[in-house]
């Protein structure tokens, strides 16, 4: 949020800025969705903490159609998935095990909940899960220092790397979680934005100990509307956890806004026009992310190929001598140089738990689709969005910045 405000202020001051720092899906609202919200403005009464019957039924159907059989009483709604993640941190016992790097809010929420974090590096192939070869020894080391590992957070597909964890890695970490008695929180908010195929889910391997969180911020680009939901496991343990979640929710957010629940009912029924809309979104995200990826590779950075969503995590380690000559020794100074010297906003890897001296940054490509709703609709409908003038000019801006940065002196 801070980088978004910083870049907005620079643009307001008339500066040319390439905004690659904020993970907003960057697409307009479909007319049918806007009409549902407009028609629900009169719904100003409080509702059930967990969500309306209609919303929970729609969510249960949505999960079930994606291979995860779900009953309505397993679902709870919230104003975004972030409150649900925090509520789970509060409700579940034990410290939090995180892949490193991982999304910025997990560690912050764990700290707010007075829990320690146990960071485990991700595998080389993809992010979102701890490297299973390192996970158990990290758990043993943490327990030896007094930590109480209790919660394992997985992000599949991943933010910040824009990749999809391999099925064998998910299976292995779930087996370790079962052995150690960990609960898995599976953050699957990007699951509908896999560029090709679908992502594995921890619920396939640890169904009775996995809680899934998701929402409409990414697949439907409704981040500002704050519509999130969680699915708890079936059975007595899941019902006990649901009771605890409801207790937290009732004291913090009361319920998801009723008009937003009407939107959720509509979207979660998967009407054909929205299925098509999301498919077009996937295609656009993939095309632009791949084009940006090519620019970083051409500049000499190492970067995993994007597989889902709209993120990249380039590593400038091969260029360390060139960057060191400019006083750039880590991710923060790299991000500062890109912004201050070249008008390119990114986030340092340190924000995601990475080492301060690592020359890695998180790049979000989803705000390149246009400044106006008209441009964004054209990008969404285009068979070749990278050739659109405003996207092509952004890529040229990035190309020039990287060239100047990496060929300095």
């Amino acid at each position: 949020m801070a980088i978004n405000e910083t870049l907005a202020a620079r643009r307001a001051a008339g500066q040319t800025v390439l905004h690659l720092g904020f993970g907003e899906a960057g697409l307009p609202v479909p007319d049918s969705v806007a009409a549902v919200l407009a028609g629900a403005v009169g719904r100003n009464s409080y509702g059930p903490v967990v969500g309306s019957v209609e919303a929970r039924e729609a969510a249960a159907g949505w999960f079930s159609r994606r291979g995860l059989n779900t009953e309505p009483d397993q679902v709870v709604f919230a104003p975004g998935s972030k409150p649900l993640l925090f509520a789970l941190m509060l409700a579940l016992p034990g410290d939090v095990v995180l892949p490193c790097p991982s999304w910025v809010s997990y560690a912050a929420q764990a700290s707010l909940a007075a829990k320690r974090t146990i960071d485990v590096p991700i595998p080389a192939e993809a992010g979102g899960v701890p490297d299973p070869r390192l996970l158990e020894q990290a758990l043993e080391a943490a327990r030896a220092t007094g930590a109480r590992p209790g919660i394992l957070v997985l992000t599949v597909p991943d933010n910040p790397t824009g990749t999809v964890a391999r099925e064998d890695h998910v299976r292995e970490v779930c087996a370790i979680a079962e052995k150690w008695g960990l609960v898995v929180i599976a953050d699957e908010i990007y699951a509908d934005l896999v560029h090709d195929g679908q992502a594995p889910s921890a619920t396939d391997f640890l169904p009775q100990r996995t809680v899934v969180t998701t929402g409409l911020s990414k697949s439907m680009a409704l981040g500002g509307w704050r519509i999130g939901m969680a699915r708890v496991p079936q059975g007595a343990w899941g019902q006990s956890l649901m009771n605890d979640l409801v207790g937290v929710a009732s004291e913090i957010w009361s319920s998801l806004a009723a008009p937003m629940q009407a939107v959720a009912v509509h979207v979660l029924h998967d009407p054909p026009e929205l299925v098509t809309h999301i498919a077009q979104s996937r295609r656009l995200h993939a095309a632009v992310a791949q084009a940006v990826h090519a620019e970083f590779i051409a500049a000499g950075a190492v970067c995993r190929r994007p597989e889902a969503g709209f993120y990249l995590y380039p590593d400038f380690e091969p260029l360390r001598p060139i960057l060191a000559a400019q006083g750039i020794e880590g991710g923060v100074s790299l991000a500062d140089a890109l912004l201050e010297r070249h008008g390119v906003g990114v986030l340092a890897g340190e924000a995601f738990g990475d080492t301060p001296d690592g020359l890695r940054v998180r790049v979000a490509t989803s705000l390149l689709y246009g400044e106006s709703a008209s441009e964004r609709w054209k990008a969404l409908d285009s068979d070749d969005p990278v050739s659109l003038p405003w996207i092509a000019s952004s890529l040229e801006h990035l190309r020039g910045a990287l060239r100047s940065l990496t060929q300095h002196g």
Side-chain angles (χ1 to χ4, degrees):
M1 299 300 291
I3 188 68
N4 190 50
E5 293 172 8
T6 297
L7 295 176
R10 285 174 175 262
R11 282 182 169 173
Q15 299 180 30
T16 300
V17 175
L18 187 60
H19 197 337
L20 300 174
F22 191 50
E24 183 173 305
L27 292 170
V29 179
D31 290 343
S32 65
V33 178
V36 170
L37 181 60
V41 293
R43 300 188 185 185
N44 62 337
S45 297
Y46 290 107
V49 173
V50 289
S52 69
V53 171
E54 296 80 6
R56 298 177 91 194
E57 288 176 344
W62 185 89
F63 279 116
S64 297
R65 286 190 298 278
R66 285 154 178 78
L68 185 56
N69 291 333
T70 303
E71 297 298 327
D73 64 0
Q74 293 175 254
V75 178
V76 56
F77 280 86
S81 61
K82 285 178 73 171
L84 287 164
L85 288 162
F86 185 49
L88 287 164
M89 298 278 188
L90 293 171
L92 291 167
D95 294 319
V96 180
V97 184
L98 296 176
C100 183
S102 63
W103 181 50
V104 296
S105 289
Y106 300 140
Q109 290 187 348
S111 178
L112 289 170
K115 296 177 184 290
R116 293 171 61 173
T117 55
I118 302 158
D119 294 332
V120 186
I122 60 175
E125 295 84 353
V129 302
D131 189 328
R133 295 164 296 187
L134 303 176
L135 175 57
E136 197 148 21
Q137 67 187 57
L139 293 172
E140 292 170 351
R143 186 171 285 179
T145 62
R148 298 181 303 109
I151 304 165
L152 171 62
V153 179
L154 308 180
T155 316
V156 184
D158 184 41
N159 172 13
T161 67
T163 57
V164 179
R166 305 302 181 251
E167 182 176 317
D168 58 329
H169 288 162
V170 178
R171 181 187 298 109
E172 289 178 57
V173 298
C174 285
I176 296 169
E178 184 173 29
K179 175 182 176 181
W180 282 72
L182 307 180
V183 174
V184 173
I185 299 176
D187 184 346
E188 298 184 1
I189 199 162
Y190 297 94
D192 269 5
L193 294 181
V194 178
H195 299 166
D196 184 19
Q198 68 181 74
S201 174
T203 52
D204 294 333
F205 309 111
L206 195 60
Q208 299 305 317
R209 299 281 288 180
T210 299
V211 185
V212 178
T213 64
T214 187
L216 304 185
S217 296
K218 309 305 179 181
S219 62
M220 286 298 303
L222 298 178
W225 292 18
R226 313 308 303 135
I227 302 171
M229 58 186 177
R231 178 208 184 265
V232 302
Q234 294 176 335
W237 183 85
Q239 187 56 56
S240 176
L241 176 59
M242 176 64 80
N243 292 339
D244 291 341
L245 281 177
V246 171
V248 174
S250 66
E251 301 304 334
I252 297 179
W253 67 80
S254 297
S255 63
L256 174 62
M260 296 309 171
Q261 293 193 46
V263 171
V265 171
H266 174 66
V267 172
L268 295 175
H269 274 117
D270 287 326
E273 72 275 10
L274 296 187
V275 172
T276 299
H277 177 80
I278 293 172
Q280 289 179 303
S281 302
R282 278 195 298 270
R283 185 180 64 186
L284 175 60
H285 295 321
V288 176
Q290 288 167 13
V292 173
H293 175 265
E295 297 297 340
F296 282 99
I297 296 299
V302 175
C303 188
R304 297 173 182 86
R305 188 173 182 84
E307 298 173 330
F310 34 79
Y311 299 116
L312 301 167
Y313 200 68
D315 185 351
F316 286 75
E317 184 61 34
L319 300 163
R320 183 174 289 276
I322 294 173
L323 298 178
Q326 303 173 58
I328 299 171
E329 301 286 353
V332 171
S333 57
L334 175 58
D336 287 346
L338 282 167
L339 179 59
E340 298 297 334
R341 303 177 197 173
H342 307 290
V344 176
V346 297
L347 281 180
E350 186 177 349
F352 300 87
D354 211 335
T355 56
D357 61 344
L359 289 169
R360 291 173 286 276
V361 295
R362 202 285 305 270
V363 175
T365 63
S366 49
L367 293 182
L368 302 183
Y369 306 150
E371 295 294 322
S372 66
S374 174
E375 287 183 344
R376 292 167 183 161
W377 278 119
K378 288 177 182 176
L380 196 63
D381 293 337
S382 175
D383 292 331
D384 184 19
V386 173
S387 69
L388 294 171
W390 53 94
I391 297 179
S393 66
S394 293
L395 291 171
E396 181 59 34
H397 181 158
L398 177 62
R399 187 176 307 124
L402 293 175
R403 185 184 299 120
S404 177
L405 183 75
T406 60
Q407 296 179 3
H408 184 84

Short mmCIF file of all heavy atoms in Angstrom, two decimals, residues 54-104:
data_model
loop_
_atom_site.label_atom_id
_atom_site.label_comp_id
_atom_site.label_asym_id
_atom_site.label_seq_id
_atom_site.Cartn_x
_atom_site.Cartn_y
_atom_site.Cartn_z
N GLU A 54 -27.63 -17.67 1.05
CA GLU A 54 -27.43 -17.68 -0.40
C GLU A 54 -25.94 -17.59 -0.75
O GLU A 54 -25.47 -18.28 -1.67
CB GLU A 54 -28.18 -16.52 -1.05
CG GLU A 54 -29.69 -16.59 -0.93
CD GLU A 54 -30.20 -16.12 0.42
OE1 GLU A 54 -29.39 -15.61 1.23
OE2 GLU A 54 -31.42 -16.27 0.67
N ALA A 55 -25.21 -16.75 -0.04
CA ALA A 55 -23.78 -16.58 -0.33
C ALA A 55 -23.01 -17.85 0.01
O ALA A 55 -22.14 -18.30 -0.75
CB ALA A 55 -23.21 -15.40 0.45
N ARG A 56 -23.32 -18.46 1.14
CA ARG A 56 -22.62 -19.69 1.53
C ARG A 56 -22.94 -20.84 0.59
O ARG A 56 -22.07 -21.66 0.26
CB ARG A 56 -22.95 -20.06 2.97
CG ARG A 56 -22.52 -19.00 3.99
CD ARG A 56 -22.95 -19.38 5.38
NE ARG A 56 -21.92 -20.15 6.07
CZ ARG A 56 -22.14 -20.82 7.20
NH1 ARG A 56 -23.37 -20.85 7.73
NH2 ARG A 56 -21.16 -21.47 7.78
N GLU A 57 -24.19 -20.91 0.13
CA GLU A 57 -24.55 -21.94 -0.84
C GLU A 57 -23.81 -21.73 -2.16
O GLU A 57 -23.32 -22.69 -2.78
CB GLU A 57 -26.06 -21.95 -1.06
CG GLU A 57 -26.86 -22.51 0.12
CD GLU A 57 -28.36 -22.42 -0.11
OE1 GLU A 57 -28.78 -21.65 -1.02
OE2 GLU A 57 -29.11 -23.09 0.63
N ALA A 58 -23.72 -20.48 -2.59
CA ALA A 58 -23.01 -20.18 -3.84
C ALA A 58 -21.53 -20.54 -3.71
O ALA A 58 -20.93 -21.11 -4.63
CB ALA A 58 -23.17 -18.71 -4.21
N ALA A 59 -20.94 -20.20 -2.56
CA ALA A 59 -19.52 -20.52 -2.35
C ALA A 59 -19.30 -22.03 -2.30
O ALA A 59 -18.31 -22.53 -2.85
CB ALA A 59 -19.03 -19.87 -1.06
N ALA A 60 -20.20 -22.75 -1.65
CA ALA A 60 -20.06 -24.20 -1.58
C ALA A 60 -20.09 -24.81 -2.98
O ALA A 60 -19.30 -25.71 -3.30
CB ALA A 60 -21.17 -24.79 -0.72
N GLY A 61 -20.98 -24.31 -3.82
CA GLY A 61 -21.03 -24.78 -5.20
C GLY A 61 -19.77 -24.43 -5.97
O GLY A 61 -19.26 -25.23 -6.77
N TRP A 62 -19.26 -23.23 -5.74
CA TRP A 62 -18.03 -22.76 -6.41
C TRP A 62 -16.86 -23.67 -6.06
O TRP A 62 -16.12 -24.12 -6.94
CB TRP A 62 -17.77 -21.33 -5.99
CG TRP A 62 -16.63 -20.63 -6.66
CD1 TRP A 62 -16.65 -19.91 -7.81
CD2 TRP A 62 -15.27 -20.57 -6.17
NE1 TRP A 62 -15.40 -19.41 -8.08
CE2 TRP A 62 -14.54 -19.79 -7.11
CE3 TRP A 62 -14.62 -21.09 -5.06
CZ2 TRP A 62 -13.18 -19.53 -6.93
CZ3 TRP A 62 -13.26 -20.83 -4.89
CH2 TRP A 62 -12.55 -20.06 -5.82
N PHE A 63 -16.67 -23.96 -4.77
CA PHE A 63 -15.60 -24.86 -4.35
C PHE A 63 -15.81 -26.26 -4.93
O PHE A 63 -14.86 -26.89 -5.41
CB PHE A 63 -15.54 -24.95 -2.83
CG PHE A 63 -14.82 -23.82 -2.15
CD1 PHE A 63 -15.50 -22.95 -1.30
CD2 PHE A 63 -13.46 -23.63 -2.33
CE1 PHE A 63 -14.84 -21.91 -0.66
CE2 PHE A 63 -12.78 -22.59 -1.69
CZ PHE A 63 -13.48 -21.73 -0.86
N SER A 64 -17.05 -26.74 -4.88
CA SER A 64 -17.33 -28.11 -5.34
C SER A 64 -17.04 -28.27 -6.82
O SER A 64 -16.52 -29.31 -7.25
CB SER A 64 -18.78 -28.47 -5.02
OG SER A 64 -19.01 -28.48 -3.61
N ARG A 65 -17.39 -27.26 -7.62
CA ARG A 65 -17.11 -27.34 -9.05
C ARG A 65 -15.62 -27.35 -9.35
O ARG A 65 -15.20 -27.74 -10.44
CB ARG A 65 -17.78 -26.18 -9.79
CG ARG A 65 -19.30 -26.33 -9.92
CD ARG A 65 -19.89 -25.30 -10.85
NE ARG A 65 -19.69 -23.93 -10.41
CZ ARG A 65 -20.45 -23.31 -9.52
NH1 ARG A 65 -21.47 -23.94 -8.94
NH2 ARG A 65 -20.21 -22.05 -9.19
N ARG A 66 -14.81 -26.94 -8.40
CA ARG A 66 -13.36 -26.93 -8.55
C ARG A 66 -12.71 -28.14 -7.88
O ARG A 66 -11.51 -28.16 -7.64
CB ARG A 66 -12.79 -25.61 -8.03
CG ARG A 66 -13.05 -24.45 -8.98
CD ARG A 66 -13.09 -23.10 -8.32
NE ARG A 66 -13.29 -22.04 -9.32
CZ ARG A 66 -14.47 -21.75 -9.87
NH1 ARG A 66 -15.55 -22.43 -9.52
NH2 ARG A 66 -14.58 -20.78 -10.76
N GLY A 67 -13.53 -29.15 -7.61
CA GLY A 67 -13.01 -30.42 -7.13
C GLY A 67 -12.91 -30.55 -5.63
O GLY A 67 -12.34 -31.54 -5.13
N LEU A 68 -13.45 -29.60 -4.88
CA LEU A 68 -13.37 -29.64 -3.43
C LEU A 68 -14.79 -29.63 -2.87
O LEU A 68 -15.39 -28.57 -2.65
CB LEU A 68 -12.58 -28.42 -2.92
CG LEU A 68 -12.30 -28.35 -1.42
CD1 LEU A 68 -11.58 -29.60 -0.94
CD2 LEU A 68 -11.47 -27.11 -1.10
N ASN A 69 -15.35 -30.81 -2.67
CA ASN A 69 -16.73 -30.92 -2.20
C ASN A 69 -16.90 -30.15 -0.90
O ASN A 69 -16.16 -30.37 0.07
CB ASN A 69 -17.12 -32.38 -2.01
CG ASN A 69 -17.23 -33.12 -3.34
OD1 ASN A 69 -17.50 -32.52 -4.37
ND2 ASN A 69 -17.01 -34.42 -3.31
N THR A 70 -17.88 -29.28 -0.87
CA THR A 70 -18.05 -28.34 0.23
C THR A 70 -19.53 -28.16 0.55
O THR A 70 -20.36 -28.08 -0.36
CB THR A 70 -17.44 -26.96 -0.13
OG1 THR A 70 -16.06 -27.13 -0.45
CG2 THR A 70 -17.58 -25.97 1.02
N GLU A 71 -19.84 -28.10 1.83
CA GLU A 71 -21.19 -27.78 2.30
C GLU A 71 -21.22 -26.32 2.75
O GLU A 71 -20.20 -25.76 3.17
CB GLU A 71 -21.58 -28.69 3.46
CG GLU A 71 -21.66 -30.17 3.10
CD GLU A 71 -22.72 -30.45 2.04
OE1 GLU A 71 -23.77 -29.75 2.04
OE2 GLU A 71 -22.50 -31.36 1.22
N PRO A 72 -22.39 -25.68 2.67
CA PRO A 72 -22.46 -24.27 3.05
C PRO A 72 -21.96 -23.96 4.45
O PRO A 72 -21.39 -22.89 4.68
CB PRO A 72 -23.96 -23.95 2.90
CG PRO A 72 -24.44 -24.91 1.85
CD PRO A 72 -23.66 -26.17 2.09
N ASP A 73 -22.13 -24.90 5.39
CA ASP A 73 -21.72 -24.60 6.77
C ASP A 73 -20.21 -24.66 6.96
O ASP A 73 -19.71 -24.41 8.05
CB ASP A 73 -22.43 -25.51 7.77
CG ASP A 73 -22.08 -26.99 7.61
OD1 ASP A 73 -21.28 -27.32 6.71
OD2 ASP A 73 -22.62 -27.81 8.38
N GLN A 74 -19.47 -24.95 5.89
CA GLN A 74 -18.01 -24.92 5.95
C GLN A 74 -17.44 -23.57 5.51
O GLN A 74 -16.21 -23.40 5.51
CB GLN A 74 -17.41 -26.00 5.04
CG GLN A 74 -17.68 -27.43 5.48
CD GLN A 74 -17.15 -28.41 4.45
OE1 GLN A 74 -17.91 -29.02 3.70
NE2 GLN A 74 -15.84 -28.56 4.40
N VAL A 75 -18.29 -22.63 5.12
CA VAL A 75 -17.84 -21.38 4.51
C VAL A 75 -18.13 -20.19 5.42
O VAL A 75 -19.20 -20.11 6.04
CB VAL A 75 -18.54 -21.16 3.15
CG1 VAL A 75 -18.11 -19.83 2.53
CG2 VAL A 75 -18.25 -22.32 2.20
N VAL A 76 -17.16 -19.27 5.48
CA VAL A 76 -17.37 -18.00 6.17
C VAL A 76 -16.85 -16.88 5.27
O VAL A 76 -15.80 -17.02 4.63
CB VAL A 76 -16.66 -17.97 7.55
CG1 VAL A 76 -15.18 -18.27 7.42
CG2 VAL A 76 -16.87 -16.64 8.25
N PHE A 77 -17.61 -15.79 5.21
CA PHE A 77 -17.23 -14.64 4.39
C PHE A 77 -16.64 -13.54 5.28
O PHE A 77 -16.87 -13.48 6.49
CB PHE A 77 -18.45 -14.08 3.65
CG PHE A 77 -18.80 -14.85 2.41
CD1 PHE A 77 -19.62 -15.97 2.48
CD2 PHE A 77 -18.31 -14.46 1.17
CE1 PHE A 77 -19.94 -16.69 1.35
CE2 PHE A 77 -18.63 -15.17 0.03
CZ PHE A 77 -19.44 -16.30 0.11
N ALA A 78 -15.88 -12.65 4.62
CA ALA A 78 -15.27 -11.53 5.34
C ALA A 78 -14.99 -10.41 4.34
O ALA A 78 -15.02 -10.62 3.13
CB ALA A 78 -13.97 -11.95 6.00
N PRO A 79 -14.72 -9.19 4.83
CA PRO A 79 -14.33 -8.09 3.95
C PRO A 79 -12.89 -8.26 3.47
O PRO A 79 -11.97 -7.60 3.94
CB PRO A 79 -14.51 -6.85 4.82
CG PRO A 79 -14.36 -7.34 6.22
CD PRO A 79 -14.90 -8.73 6.23
N GLY A 80 -12.70 -9.18 2.54
CA GLY A 80 -11.38 -9.53 2.04
C GLY A 80 -10.86 -10.78 2.73
O GLY A 80 -11.32 -11.17 3.81
N SER A 81 -9.88 -11.43 2.09
CA SER A 81 -9.31 -12.63 2.71
C SER A 81 -8.29 -12.30 3.80
O SER A 81 -8.00 -13.14 4.65
CB SER A 81 -8.66 -13.52 1.64
OG SER A 81 -7.60 -12.84 0.99
N LYS A 82 -7.76 -11.07 3.82
CA LYS A 82 -6.78 -10.71 4.84
C LYS A 82 -7.34 -10.83 6.26
O LYS A 82 -6.67 -11.38 7.14
CB LYS A 82 -6.23 -9.30 4.59
CG LYS A 82 -5.24 -9.23 3.44
CD LYS A 82 -4.75 -7.82 3.19
CE LYS A 82 -3.80 -7.36 4.25
NZ LYS A 82 -3.16 -6.06 3.89
N PRO A 83 -8.56 -10.33 6.54
CA PRO A 83 -9.10 -10.52 7.89
C PRO A 83 -9.25 -11.99 8.26
O PRO A 83 -9.07 -12.37 9.42
CB PRO A 83 -10.46 -9.81 7.84
CG PRO A 83 -10.35 -8.83 6.74
CD PRO A 83 -9.46 -9.47 5.73
N LEU A 84 -9.59 -12.82 7.27
CA LEU A 84 -9.72 -14.25 7.55
C LEU A 84 -8.37 -14.87 7.89
O LEU A 84 -8.27 -15.69 8.81
CB LEU A 84 -10.34 -14.95 6.35
CG LEU A 84 -11.82 -14.67 6.14
CD1 LEU A 84 -12.26 -15.07 4.74
CD2 LEU A 84 -12.66 -15.40 7.19
N LEU A 85 -7.34 -14.47 7.17
CA LEU A 85 -6.00 -14.96 7.49
C LEU A 85 -5.60 -14.56 8.90
O LEU A 85 -5.05 -15.37 9.67
CB LEU A 85 -4.99 -14.43 6.47
CG LEU A 85 -5.08 -15.03 5.07
CD1 LEU A 85 -4.36 -14.14 4.06
CD2 LEU A 85 -4.48 -16.42 5.06
N PHE A 86 -5.89 -13.32 9.26
CA PHE A 86 -5.53 -12.86 10.60
C PHE A 86 -6.38 -13.56 11.66
O PHE A 86 -5.87 -13.95 12.73
CB PHE A 86 -5.70 -11.35 10.70
CG PHE A 86 -5.25 -10.77 12.02
CD1 PHE A 86 -4.01 -11.09 12.55
CD2 PHE A 86 -6.06 -9.90 12.72
CE1 PHE A 86 -3.58 -10.56 13.77
CE2 PHE A 86 -5.64 -9.36 13.94
CZ PHE A 86 -4.41 -9.69 14.46
N ALA A 87 -7.65 -13.76 11.38
CA ALA A 87 -8.52 -14.47 12.32
C ALA A 87 -8.00 -15.89 12.55
O ALA A 87 -8.03 -16.41 13.68
CB ALA A 87 -9.95 -14.50 11.80
N LEU A 88 -7.52 -16.53 11.49
CA LEU A 88 -6.95 -17.87 11.64
C LEU A 88 -5.68 -17.84 12.48
O LEU A 88 -5.45 -18.73 13.31
CB LEU A 88 -6.67 -18.46 10.27
CG LEU A 88 -7.91 -18.90 9.48
CD1 LEU A 88 -7.56 -19.10 8.00
CD2 LEU A 88 -8.51 -20.17 10.07
N MET A 89 -4.87 -16.81 12.29
CA MET A 89 -3.67 -16.66 13.12
C MET A 89 -4.04 -16.55 14.60
O MET A 89 -3.37 -17.09 15.48
CB MET A 89 -2.88 -15.42 12.70
CG MET A 89 -2.35 -15.43 11.28
SD MET A 89 -0.82 -16.34 11.10
CE MET A 89 -0.40 -15.92 9.41
N LEU A 90 -5.14 -15.84 14.87
CA LEU A 90 -5.59 -15.67 16.25
C LEU A 90 -6.22 -16.94 16.81
O LEU A 90 -6.06 -17.26 17.99
CB LEU A 90 -6.59 -14.52 16.33
CG LEU A 90 -6.06 -13.12 16.04
CD1 LEU A 90 -7.22 -12.12 15.95
CD2 LEU A 90 -5.10 -12.68 17.13
N ALA A 91 -6.95 -17.65 15.97
CA ALA A 91 -7.73 -18.79 16.44
C ALA A 91 -6.92 -20.07 16.59
O ALA A 91 -7.23 -20.91 17.43
CB ALA A 91 -8.91 -19.03 15.51
N LEU A 92 -5.88 -20.23 15.76
CA LEU A 92 -5.12 -21.48 15.75
C LEU A 92 -3.92 -21.38 16.69
O LEU A 92 -3.27 -20.34 16.78
CB LEU A 92 -4.64 -21.79 14.34
CG LEU A 92 -5.73 -22.16 13.33
CD1 LEU A 92 -5.17 -22.14 11.91
CD2 LEU A 92 -6.32 -23.53 13.66
N PRO A 93 -3.59 -22.45 17.37
CA PRO A 93 -2.43 -22.42 18.27
C PRO A 93 -1.11 -22.60 17.52
O PRO A 93 -1.07 -23.16 16.43
CB PRO A 93 -2.69 -23.63 19.19
CG PRO A 93 -3.46 -24.58 18.34
CD PRO A 93 -4.32 -23.73 17.44
N GLY A 94 -0.04 -22.13 18.14
CA GLY A 94 1.29 -22.39 17.62
C GLY A 94 1.85 -21.28 16.76
O GLY A 94 1.14 -20.35 16.34
N ASP A 95 3.15 -21.38 16.50
CA ASP A 95 3.85 -20.40 15.67
C ASP A 95 3.67 -20.72 14.19
O ASP A 95 3.16 -21.78 13.82
CB ASP A 95 5.33 -20.38 16.06
CG ASP A 95 5.55 -19.87 17.48
OD1 ASP A 95 4.87 -18.90 17.86
OD2 ASP A 95 6.37 -20.47 18.21
N VAL A 96 4.11 -19.78 13.34
CA VAL A 96 3.75 -19.81 11.93
C VAL A 96 4.97 -20.14 11.07
O VAL A 96 6.01 -19.47 11.16
CB VAL A 96 3.16 -18.45 11.49
CG1 VAL A 96 2.77 -18.48 10.03
CG2 VAL A 96 1.94 -18.10 12.36
N VAL A 97 4.83 -21.16 10.24
CA VAL A 97 5.88 -21.58 9.32
C VAL A 97 5.57 -20.99 7.95
O VAL A 97 4.48 -21.17 7.41
CB VAL A 97 5.96 -23.11 9.22
CG1 VAL A 97 7.13 -23.53 8.33
CG2 VAL A 97 6.08 -23.73 10.61
N LEU A 98 6.56 -20.28 7.38
CA LEU A 98 6.35 -19.57 6.12
C LEU A 98 7.39 -19.97 5.08
O LEU A 98 8.57 -20.11 5.41
CB LEU A 98 6.45 -18.05 6.33
CG LEU A 98 5.43 -17.39 7.23
CD1 LEU A 98 5.76 -15.91 7.39
CD2 LEU A 98 4.03 -17.55 6.67
N PRO A 99 6.96 -20.11 3.82
CA PRO A 99 7.96 -20.16 2.75
C PRO A 99 8.64 -18.80 2.66
O PRO A 99 8.04 -17.78 3.00
CB PRO A 99 7.12 -20.44 1.50
CG PRO A 99 5.74 -19.97 1.83
CD PRO A 99 5.58 -20.14 3.32
N CYS A 100 9.88 -18.79 2.25
CA CYS A 100 10.63 -17.54 2.15
C CYS A 100 11.26 -17.44 0.76
O CYS A 100 12.03 -18.31 0.38
CB CYS A 100 11.71 -17.49 3.22
SG CYS A 100 12.64 -15.94 3.24
N PRO A 101 10.85 -16.40 -0.01
CA PRO A 101 9.99 -15.28 0.34
C PRO A 101 8.51 -15.64 0.33
O PRO A 101 8.11 -16.63 -0.29
CB PRO A 101 10.30 -14.26 -0.76
CG PRO A 101 10.61 -15.12 -1.95
CD PRO A 101 11.35 -16.30 -1.41
N SER A 102 7.71 -14.82 1.00
CA SER A 102 6.26 -15.00 0.99
C SER A 102 5.60 -13.64 1.11
O SER A 102 6.25 -12.63 1.43
CB SER A 102 5.81 -15.91 2.13
OG SER A 102 6.11 -15.35 3.40
N TRP A 103 4.31 -13.61 0.86
CA TRP A 103 3.55 -12.37 0.85
C TRP A 103 3.74 -11.60 2.16
O TRP A 103 3.81 -12.18 3.24
CB TRP A 103 2.07 -12.69 0.62
CG TRP A 103 1.17 -11.51 0.57
CD1 TRP A 103 1.32 -10.38 -0.17
CD2 TRP A 103 -0.06 -11.36 1.27
NE1 TRP A 103 0.27 -9.53 0.03
CE2 TRP A 103 -0.60 -10.11 0.91
CE3 TRP A 103 -0.76 -12.16 2.18
CZ2 TRP A 103 -1.81 -9.63 1.42
CZ3 TRP A 103 -1.96 -11.70 2.68
CH2 TRP A 103 -2.47 -10.45 2.30
N VAL A 104 3.82 -10.29 2.05
CA VAL A 104 4.27 -9.44 3.15
C VAL A 104 3.40 -9.53 4.40
O VAL A 104 3.90 -9.36 5.52
CB VAL A 104 4.36 -7.97 2.70
CG1 VAL A 104 5.42 -7.80 1.62
CG2 VAL A 104 3.01 -7.45 2.21
#
